[in-house]
Amino acid sequence: MKHFIKMAIALILGVVALGFQSCGSDDDEPDAKVYATVSDIQGTWHGTLDGFYYRFTFDGDNYSYNQMNVADNNITASSSGTFAIKDHKIVFSGGKNEVPWSDEEIFWTNNTKNYLQIGQYLSLSPGK
């Protein structure tokens, strides 16, 4: 019986300890975003989203953009023109077709700056 009581007390103490552990602060600040600059993103970036392959090339303040349907390898959209980054958002202009991510936030997904995020969903990696 003494063994049972000791085990019950140990179990209760364990549950109480776990309860206190889970009561951490919810006021932790989120990691600050590392925003991209025009000089950071020079070169070619590519990624896929919802069955499409996207390729962006940034050269100075000029850009070119292609969107390809992965299922049939057809280019479904392309554009080129100039771009700027204002208030942490990329703005494309001067192209014959609208770029869907114009006026979207642009930032790095990590501190090593090897994955570029445009908007909420499009993640790009460096490439050719």
Side-chain angles (χ1 to χ4, degrees):
M1 184 70 171
K2 287 183 180 181
H3 183 66
F4 177 74
I5 293 173
K6 288 181 182 179
M7 291 298 285
I9 291 173
L11 180 64
I12 291 170
L13 289 175
V15 169
V16 171
L18 287 175
F20 284 121
Q21 178 67 24
S22 66
C23 292
S25 173
D26 291 338
D27 297 334
D28 295 337
E29 292 184 27
D31 292 337
K33 288 183 180 173
V34 179
Y35 290 103
T37 65
V38 170
S39 61
D40 284 341
I41 66 172
Q42 297 298 301
T44 300
W45 297 85
H46 61 96
T48 59
L49 177 66
D50 295 335
F52 291 95
Y53 169 80
Y54 298 94
R55 183 173 186 240
F56 290 85
T57 300
F58 300 102
D59 183 14
D61 63 351
N62 297 303
Y63 79 91
S64 64
Y65 156 79
N66 291 300
Q67 173 184 308
M68 181 182 75
N69 186 325
V70 174
D72 59 13
N73 292 335
N74 284 324
I75 302 292
T76 56
S78 64
S79 187
S80 61
T82 59
F83 78 99
I85 297 177
K86 299 176 183 173
D87 298 324
H88 308 301
K89 293 183 177 185
I90 191 164
V91 179
F92 298 98
S93 58
K96 65 178 184 173
N97 295 317
E98 180 181 339
V99 177
W101 292 279
S102 191
D103 205 31
E104 291 279 350
E105 194 173 46
I106 184 167
F107 57 95
W108 299 104
T109 59
N110 57 31
N111 288 331
T112 58
K113 296 184 177 182
N114 54 356
Y115 293 103
L116 184 63
Q117 186 78 23
I118 300 179
Q120 186 175 359
Y121 301 108
L122 185 61
S123 184
L124 303 171
S125 56
K128 296 180 178 184

